Amino acid sequence: MIGLAIGAAVILYLIFIYNGLVKARQVKEEAWSGIDVQLKRRADLIPNLIETVKGYAAHEKGTLEQIVELRNKAQSLPTGDVAARAQAEGLLSQALGKVFALAEAYPDLKANQNFSELQQSLETIEEEIQMSRRYYNGAARDLNVKVESFPSNLIAGPFGFAKAPFFEITNEADRAVPTVKF
């Protein structure tokens, strides 16, 4: 009788651990979805921004083409490839910084209401991306702790639970303030 009670308690505990791992994985996936939504919103604004800037800074064609290329590359990556998306989005953010630096050199562009509204929208989206990234990284951390800690690691391995990558900038050059030369 006591052995049966102990066996039932162990089974219930294993179910509890498994459900905790499932919940942590679902929270991580939901958090990634939040990042993906914000990245899509930013990608949708980029063509409008490029068209607005083109009229004022025609000789900056290379910078504008680079942004379009980086946007297309970021969107072509698989949604679940967190590391590759983080790297591509970091490069895109750096390139967008160059466009905003260009506005300083073109007072007419800076005064353009359309550009101003696009810039404000992108700034808002960048803030939301940062918040989403922090939420995702917290969810990834929680999942990783469960996957690596005892006794949940005994359940995680056999049932295919794996550590989640963090959404972070891995290239220090991506953190640098963009330089614009004329």
Side-chain angles (χ1 to χ4, degrees), residues 60-81:
E60 299 296 339
K61 186 177 179 185
T63 300
L64 301 177
E65 288 173 351
Q66 178 190 20
I67 290 172
V68 171
E69 181 183 319
L70 289 169
R71 173 191 178 260
N72 292 340
K73 179 182 177 188
Q75 287 192 305
S76 71
L77 293 170
T79 302
D81 190 350

Side-chain angles (χ1 to χ4, degrees), residues 18 26 42 45-46 63 66-67 82 87 90 93 111 123 131 133-135 141 145 151 157 167-168 170 175 177 180 182:
Y18 178 82
Q26 291 302 316
R42 178 174 71 175
L45 281 177
I46 289 173
T63 300
Q66 178 190 20
I67 290 172
V82 176
Q87 182 180 14
S93 291
E123 288 173 4
M131 288 188 312
R133 190 175 96 180
R134 284 191 296 274
Y135 177 66
R141 177 204 59 229
V145 166
F167 188 84
E168 58 191 356
T170 55
R175 298 179 195 272
V177 176
V180 178
F182 300 101

